[in-house]
Every structure is written in C-alpha cells, then in structure tokens.
Amino acid sequence: MEMSGVGPLTAALRMQNVVQSSSRWAQGQQYRPWTLRSLKLQPLSPVPSDIEISRAQTPKPVDQLAQEIGLLQEETEAYGRTKAKVRLSLLDRLREQPDGKYVLVAGITPTPLGEGKSTVVIGLVQALSAHLKLNSFACLRQPSQGPTFGVKGQRGQISTHISMLEISMLINESFNLHLTGDIHAITAANNLVAAAIDARMLHEATQKDKALYSRLVPSVNGVRRFSPIQISRLRRLGISEIDPSALTPQEVSSFVRLDLDPAKVTWQRVVDTNDRFLRKITVGQASTEKGHVRETQFDIAVASEIMAILALADGLGDMKTRLGRMVVGSSRSGQPVTAEDLGVSGALAVLMKDAIKPTLMQTLEGSPVFVHAGPFANIAHGNSSVLADKLALKLVGEDGFVVTEAGFGADIGMEKFFNIKCRASGLRPNVVVLVATVRALKMHGGGPNVSHPSILSNLSLVVKGCSSNLRKQIQIAHLFGVPVVVALNVFKTDTQAEIDLVCQMAKESGASDAVPCHHWARGGRGSVELAQAVKQAGSQPSHFQFLYSQETPIVEKIRMIAQKVYGADDIELSPEAQAKIDYYNQQGYGKLPICMAKTHLSLSHLPEKKGAPTGFTLPIRDIRASIGAGFIYPLVGTMSTMPGLPTRPCFYDIDLDPVTEEITGLF
C-alpha cells in the first residue's frame, strides 16, 4: 500500500516541474525591459579626427549590448567582440509587442558634400537613449567598400556618407570594409546569375533539344527526375506532367529553351571596387566559348537588384520569392526571363541566408545600431532594410524610438521611403526630421556651389534658401501627412543670427519645430533639444498617406511625382520610355511603385537649378524595372553605376602596421 502512492506522487512532482519549467520559458520569451549602460563621451576642442575619436572609446562587448536591449543569447550570432547578426526569430517571439515610434531622417537638397543626415541620426539616437533615457535604435545603410579606396570623403564638418564619428567598434575599420560579409554575399549571388545566363545561352546555342534535355534532367542510378525548381518551371509553362519520359517533343523544347536574346540581357556582373575599365567589357573571347561573344558591363555591387531585394524583403520566404522573380532579360519572342527560369533562385537564397540578418553595432555612447543593406538612392530606393526597422521597433518597446535615414534629399529618398519602403513593410512613420545646413541654404538662395563651409554671414541668401528649398521640402513631407521637425546641422562658421533665422523661417513654413544641432562637436548632448522636439512631435497623431495608389497608371504615377514633389509643369516621355510602359503594362507590372532615378543636386533634372525650380518639363528618357525588388525606375538622366578611381586615390594613404595591426589612413 505504501509503494502504491509513490507513482502518483512522482507524477505530480514531475508535472509540477514541467509547469514551472514552462512558466520560466514563457517568461523568458516575453519582452525584456532595457538595462542599457551608456558610455561616457568626453568632447574635446578642437574636435579630433574621426579615427582618433573612435579609437579613444572602448565599446561594450556585443553580447553585453545584446543583453542590455533584451535579446536572448540564442538570437545573436557574434562576429568578433563588437558586432553580431540578429536572427529573425526575434520577430516571432515579440510579435505581440507594440512597435515604438518610427522616425525618418531626410534632408533638403544637398550640396555635393552632403549635409550630415547620418550624423544627425546618430546624434539623435544618442540624445534619446543616453540623455533622455528613452529606448532608441538607429538603423543605417551599410556603405559600399569600393569608394573607401577611391575618393576620400572629407570630414570635419564635411560628410559624404557615414563616418567613424558615428560608429564605435573594436576593429574600427570593419564598418567601411567587410563588416559581416553581406555585400560579398550579394556579389556572389549576383555573379552566379550572370554566369548562369551566359552558360545557358552557350549550351542552348550548341546543343539540340534532346541533348539539352538529357543534361538538364540526367539519369541518376537509372532514374530521371525533375528537381523542384524544374517542376515550378513546368507549371509556369502549363505542363502538368512530372514524368520526364512523358513530355512531348514540343513540351521538351519549351522546357529546355529559354531562348534569351543576347542583345536584351539586362543583368550585369558586379564588384565592390571602383573600376572605370569595367564600365563596358566583352565576354566570351576564349576559344572554349565557340565565338559566343557579347558586350556587357560591371556595376558596383550595391547597385545590384539583390541589394534592393535584401532591403525590402520581410523574411527568408519573401526574399526567396523576390529573387526568383528577378527579370534578367527577354527571349527572342519578347517574353521576360527570370532567375526562376534559369533554375538558380534556390541557390541564391542559400547564398543570402545569413545576409538577411541585420548586424548589431553601437554608437560612441553605447546606443544600439542596426547596419543592414545599402541600395543605391537613384536606381533603387536608398534606404536601409525593412527587417532592421521591424526588429528595432519591437526591441525599443511602445515608448521607444527607431530612427532611420533616407538617402539624398527628401524629394528622392523620403519620397521613395514612403511610396516604396512603407508600402512594402506596412510600417507608418510618426515623424520626419529634415536636416538643413546654413551653407546649403545659402547655395539655394543664389550663392555659389560650395566646396567648404562659408565663413561669410549672408542673411539675404539664407532667407532665399529657406523660402525656396527648405519650404518646398517641408511641403513634400506634408504631402504624406507626417509632422516635420527641422534639424539645423550647425557648423562652427555659422552665426547666431543665421541659426535663429533658419529656425524661425522653418517654423513659419510649417515645421512642428526647428532646432540647432551640435552633435558633431558634443555628441548626444548636442542633440538633446532635437530629441525633445522629436519626442513632442511623435506624441501627435500622424495622418500618413501614400502619394498615389497602386492602381494608378504608370504614366500618372510618374506625373504625380514630377508635379507634386519636384514642382514640374509636366513630364515628357521619349518613344523608348513609352514603349517600355506599354510592355510593362502588357506583362502585368503596372501596379508596381515608381522609383525615380534623377540627380540629387536639384529638385529638377538639372543639377545647376537650385532652390525650388518651377516652369520645367521633366524628361523621361527611358524606363526600366526591378521586378524582384518590386518597382519600376524611370531614368531622368544618365546614371553611373560604376565609380572610377581619381588620379590620386586615397589608397595612397592607407597602410597597416604589421606589429600592432593598426590601420592608418582609412578615414
């Protein structure tokens, strides 16, 4: 009798243990409040170089940072001590967690030097987290490695992209070099497609249908089977049979012949190096290619459509679908040929499976940053990834802030952020921070195209610049129903009268607030006023709306952007552009959003036209499509997709100490 009670008691204890274990597991899966420890930043005068600033700071180990912001140990994959990939499983764990506030940093039409949007992002996030003690995350694009060894971006008050002022890491140089290998993965995937295209054209040109079929569907151990990706192609061709021996000769021919027209291949090879001699090349000159020679070109790696896909995908499944949809050219009968048709989309997904995870880093003051994707801002949309934003919005919590950046001026990067990125992500912004500088406003007011900050005060030029370009860019943001805070990136040469005038005129032009920012010299403390203004604007309702609906015809979408955003009277389509529109409509691409490819140096198509030009007609010389990424891009001018090296590239100044392994001259 005594023994008979042991079983039920043991079972009860085991059940209790299971319940307690399940409870602990459930608690571990819940949102974790932040315990972020900020790093002290000691501003110096004069301000040291970016590399000196970064090396003087000791970053937190990335596993500590991850723990501080509520990441589980199994949700990170460390790459050294100061950076880590974050797994997408986080989205499932925190799917019930409300998002934080979503802030976009855009800018007025810039000078050729840039106006410091990226530094404003970092300054704002540091002010929010380190000084206002609000959870905040920065989401930035990954810069291309190519220009690192080409034209050196001047700093001080001059910034062409993201400098070391913004990111602190143990191996400082990795941000502008390999980082976690995402661009290398894109390069490998892109060039696999290019190799598949040329190989397929060669094999189709040199083999009969029967020989092609026997090689594409070989007998393995006496059995012939279609691969899953080949079965997908059969379905697209309307062939239901899955027994290779049962296809008719006509079905075999349709299956094996993509019949790509060499003159209509649109896919290019890429490399992440500035190399002007790859802008036009000839391939297939070896005797083994049997005379199948054609002209093609290389682009810089970040111009690849795969980069745009990485930035817009919302998961592995979506990325794989988009990769398969990429159109690489046309058949001789005019039909689009895709990566899925080539049979390569599954392999592309394998190459990109780690690149889809955002990279976690930190600012100089220990605030978290996601660095992920860096598509061109002309032929693509110029924003960091949807996934980085979604992960960050969950991590900061309902009262936190996620700050991201749009490339170029608000007329380009912000418009694409709203009409392309927000349409793809389903996310809705709460605030736009519009970055301006006195030097750029003077240029838009009729002053010279600057190469350095102006040391001469000129209130008249500032007034003209504010009443033209600044006012227009504020109006563009209001088209989308989002409140605007103007951030004046202050230079040491700006006078107080100029600063006060810009802030006053910005508010008169409809900005919710306008504040001077001193983050370059003072770090997050120099952007506290901006952080307070953003917090206040974020508490107000946002009435976000798209500029156009998906159903709007392609021509009307282009016209709406030209007229409402750029200020054009109308558009003028070339015959080539009109023919492309007709073709895209025929193929069912008419509902895709528009990604305008035009100069960033003017609201118009003419770089020399500053301020807010009117009375012009926007010429559309050609129209192309990134079907995998999911947009159509009209070409307003000639767009270079491969930078070149100058007479004296900055690699002359780059060196490595073999004893200390310290790099010099990179920034």
Side-chain angles (χ1 to χ4, degrees):
M1 290 294 294
E2 291 178 358
M3 293 298 293
S4 65
V6 173
L9 177 60
T10 302
L13 289 172
R14 287 177 177 172
M15 182 63 70
Q16 183 180 31
N17 289 337
V18 168
V19 170
Q20 290 174 344
S21 177
S22 299
S23 178
R24 286 194 297 270
W25 181 87
Q27 290 174 359
Q29 299 302 302
Q30 294 174 1
Y31 178 80
R32 296 184 171 191
W34 284 23
T35 58
L36 188 69
R37 180 180 66 86
S38 298
L39 301 176
K40 297 294 184 183
L41 186 64
Q42 183 61 48
L44 299 175
S45 183
V47 178
S49 71
D50 298 341
I51 195 69
E52 290 173 319
I53 294 171
S54 182
R55 284 178 176 163
Q57 186 68 286
T58 302
K60 295 176 285 190
V62 71
D63 57 347
Q64 177 186 331
L65 174 65
Q67 186 178 29
E68 290 177 353
I69 62 174
L71 285 165
L72 304 181
Q73 186 175 359
E74 60 268 23
E75 290 171 340
T76 61
E77 299 169 4
Y79 281 65
R81 292 188 65 249
T82 57
K83 53 188 182 290
K85 287 284 192 181
V86 175
R87 294 178 178 173
L88 306 186
S89 58
L90 170 69
L91 287 175
D92 186 56
R93 176 170 70 88
L94 298 182
R95 61 184 178 275
E96 302 300 328
Q97 171 67 25
D99 288 346
K101 301 292 185 183
Y102 197 25
V103 180
L104 174 69
V105 174
I108 65 171
T109 303
T111 67
L113 305 173
E115 308 318 306
K117 294 191 306 295
S118 300
T119 60
V120 169
V121 171
I122 297 301
L124 174 56
V125 166
Q126 291 185 154
L128 287 165
S129 58
H131 300 278
L132 298 191
K133 305 303 179 184
L134 295 168
N135 294 354
S136 63
F137 229 110
C139 292
L140 295 174
R141 292 174 292 163
Q142 180 184 353
S144 171
Q145 178 179 290
T148 300
F149 301 98
V151 180
K152 184 174 182 178
Q154 296 173 296
R155 270 292 298 163
Q157 288 279 342
I158 301 170
S159 172
T160 57
H161 194 63
I162 302 169
S163 76
M164 283 312 306
L165 171 65
E166 301 153 6
I167 301 290
S168 174
M169 61 196 85
L170 186 62
I171 306 300
N172 302 302
E173 293 76 16
S174 68
F175 179 64
N176 278 340
L177 295 177
H178 311 286
L179 198 61
T180 49
D182 294 355
I183 294 180
H184 297 315
I186 289 166
T187 301
N190 185 99
N191 293 344
L192 178 60
V193 176
I197 290 168
D198 284 310
R200 186 61 176 262
M201 288 193 297
L202 170 68
H203 294 314
E204 286 190 23
T206 56
Q207 298 178 55
K208 302 288 188 183
D209 288 354
K210 185 176 180 180
L212 264 176
Y213 193 48
S214 66
R215 289 179 171 89
L216 286 171
V217 192
S219 176
V220 179
N221 296 325
V223 179
R224 296 182 74 187
R225 289 193 182 94
F226 291 115
S227 70
I229 202 166
Q230 289 177 323
I231 292 175
S232 295
R233 172 160 169 76
L234 290 171
R235 296 293 179 265
R236 290 194 302 279
L237 292 170
I239 300 171
S240 58
E241 185 58 67
I242 60 170
D243 179 0
S245 63
L247 266 62
T248 67
Q250 181 58 46
E251 288 172 336
V252 167
S253 183
S254 297
F255 174 75
V256 301
R257 299 282 169 191
L258 299 180
D259 199 28
L260 265 165
D261 185 341
K264 294 181 180 178
V265 172
T266 55
W267 195 263
Q268 317 295 354
R269 289 167 170 83
V270 300
V271 64
D272 202 24
T273 303
N274 290 10
D275 192 344
R276 64 177 66 245
F277 280 86
L278 295 178
R279 289 169 178 167
K280 180 176 282 190
I281 61 169
T282 303
V283 296
Q285 296 193 68
S287 59
T288 50
E289 275 52 75
K290 304 175 182 179
H292 291 277
V293 176
R294 71 180 183 94
E295 282 192 349
T296 182
Q297 69 184 57
F298 270 79
D299 294 333
I300 194 79
V302 294
S304 171
E305 183 177 352
I306 297 176
M307 175 62 90
I309 287 172
L310 178 66
L312 289 169
D314 69 0
L316 269 171
D318 182 44
M319 182 178 71
K320 183 178 177 182
T321 299
R322 289 172 179 267
L323 291 169
R325 278 203 314 251
M326 295 186 304
V327 173
V328 302
S330 299
S331 68
R332 287 182 172 85
S333 63
Q335 293 304 304
V337 177
T338 67
E340 188 86 5
D341 291 324
L342 283 168
V344 75
S345 56
L348 300 182
V350 170
L351 285 169
M352 293 293 294
K353 72 179 182 66
D354 291 321
I356 199 172
K357 305 165 191 171
T359 299
L360 175 66
M361 303 176 76
Q362 62 190 283
T363 71
L364 287 168
E365 295 187 53
S367 301
V369 180
F370 275 139
V371 180
H372 199 216
F376 262 30
N378 47 32
I379 64 168
H381 60 295
N383 303 143
S384 60
S385 77
V386 164
L387 281 169
D389 292 355
K390 285 190 170 185
L391 289 169
L393 284 164
K394 294 298 183 187
L395 283 169
V396 297
E398 191 171 8
D399 297 323
F401 289 82
V402 171
V403 185
T404 189
E405 174 204 359
F408 294 156
D411 56 302
I412 299 180
M414 183 184 71
E415 181 271 316
K416 294 176 182 179
F417 176 89
F418 290 148
N419 282 321
I420 298 175
K421 184 176 180 180
C422 289
R423 205 183 294 267
S425 69
L427 299 174
R428 300 294 179 259
N430 299 96
V431 184
V432 167
V433 173
L434 189 67
V435 179
T437 60
V438 168
R439 72 176 181 196
L441 291 169
K442 288 178 181 176
M443 178 190 73
H444 288 299
N449 203 352
V450 298
S451 58
H452 54 79
S454 171
I455 61 173
L456 299 176
S457 177
N458 191 320
L459 295 181
S460 175
L461 291 179
V462 172
V463 168
K464 292 176 183 176
C466 287
S467 59
S468 58
N469 196 268
L470 179 60
R471 176 174 294 161
K472 177 62 176 174
Q473 300 286 16
I474 292 171
Q475 291 171 349
I476 293 170
H478 286 163
L479 284 174
F480 298 91
V482 184
V484 178
V485 173
V486 170
L488 180 63
N489 190 10
V490 176
F491 289 40
K492 61 184 178 181
T493 52
D494 298 344
T495 67
Q496 192 61 48
E498 291 172 331
I499 294 169
D500 292 342
L501 180 59
V502 173
C503 292
Q504 175 192 335
M505 292 196 67
K507 286 183 274 191
E508 291 173 354
S509 298
S512 299
D513 205 346
V515 296
C517 301
H518 303 273
H519 50 273
W520 180 75
R522 304 176 194 168
R525 190 175 302 281
S527 288
V528 168
E529 192 177 355
L530 174 62
Q532 291 168 335
V534 168
K535 180 183 177 184
Q536 175 61 32
S539 67
Q540 301 168 5
S542 173
H543 304 288
F544 178 77
Q545 61 183 8
F546 295 117
L547 184 65
Y548 52 78
S549 76
Q550 289 181 301
E551 308 300 324
T552 304
I554 294 174
V555 172
E556 290 308 311
K557 290 174 187 171
I558 298 171
R559 182 173 284 114
M560 289 176 75
I561 295 171
Q563 293 177 333
K564 294 187 177 183
V565 177
Y566 306 154
D569 285 347
D570 204 351
I571 61 173
E572 181 180 9
L573 296 173
S574 70
E576 294 83 358
Q578 185 60 62
K580 289 285 187 66
I581 290 174
D582 294 340
Y583 174 74
Y584 294 145
N585 283 329
Q586 176 191 348
Q587 294 299 325
Y589 303 149
K591 292 184 179 181
L592 294 178
I594 301 299
C595 182
M596 298 291 282
K598 81 166 186 71
T599 179
H600 63 289
L601 297 175
S602 172
L603 282 162
S604 75
H605 58 290
L606 301 170
E608 67 275 11
K609 297 291 185 182
K610 304 303 181 182
T614 58
F616 65 94
T617 299
L618 193 74
I620 309 298
R621 70 174 184 86
D622 197 3
I623 297 182
R624 297 174 188 169
S626 292
I627 303 304
F631 53 73
I632 290 171
Y633 60 100
L635 299 177
V636 179
T638 302
M639 297 294 148
S640 174
T641 52
M642 171 54 80
L645 292 176
T647 303
R648 191 188 188 282
C650 66
F651 58 61
Y652 279 95
D653 302 313
I654 298 171
D655 203 359
L656 176 72
D657 186 320
V659 177
T660 65
E661 299 186 14
E662 187 171 278
I663 296 174
T664 57
L666 195 55
F667 305 101

